[in-house]
Amino acid sequence: MASLDSAIQQLLAIEGAVGAAIVDYASGMALAQGGNPNFDLGVAAAGNSNVVRAKLATMRDLGLADEIEDILITLDSQYHLINVLHTQGAQGLFIYLALNRQSANLALARHKLKGIASQVSV
């Protein structure tokens, strides 16, 4: 299992990564973060916690028993990936990864993110 700091370093090694955080979606607090995005990762963590909670509530209202794997937000210059963690020791957490759209390979980034996510433990 990867420590939070180790997971952040692995996330930032993904081609095109500009920022990453591991977030508790109940509180909106980033437990670990790194990178140099042009925005505040703490604010991004809190805001994306609202996204995750809203999607979980909608799924509950629809009676869907599936789990969220990831959520993709596409901006003009960036991709924002939210990967909800399901491993033992990481319940209630998600990974937030911001990528530069010009230099990132979205498919490869998602593949690497999934591998890193499977190793995160608190």
Side-chain angles (χ1 to χ4, degrees), residues 25-90:
Y25 62 75
S27 69
M29 185 172 72
L31 304 179
Q33 64 185 28
N36 190 21
N38 293 326
F39 55 86
D40 185 333
L41 279 168
V43 172
N48 285 300
S49 293
N50 291 334
V51 171
V52 172
R53 287 193 306 266
K55 186 59 185 172
L56 289 170
T58 301
M59 290 171 58
R60 188 173 44 254
D61 292 346
L62 293 172
L64 299 176
D66 290 339
E67 292 183 333
I68 298 171
E69 183 175 331
D70 63 23
I71 298 168
L72 168 64
I73 300 167
T74 305
L75 305 176
D76 290 339
S77 63
Q78 296 180 337
Y79 295 120
H80 291 201
L81 287 168
I82 299 168
N83 185 291
V84 179
L85 301 177
H86 301 289
T87 57
Q88 187 161 351

Side-chain angles (χ1 to χ4, degrees), residues 9-34:
Q9 293 308 310
Q10 291 175 53
L11 292 164
L12 293 174
I14 295 173
E15 184 73 26
V18 294
I22 299 174
V23 183
D24 176 329
Y25 62 75
S27 69
M29 185 172 72
L31 304 179
Q33 64 185 28

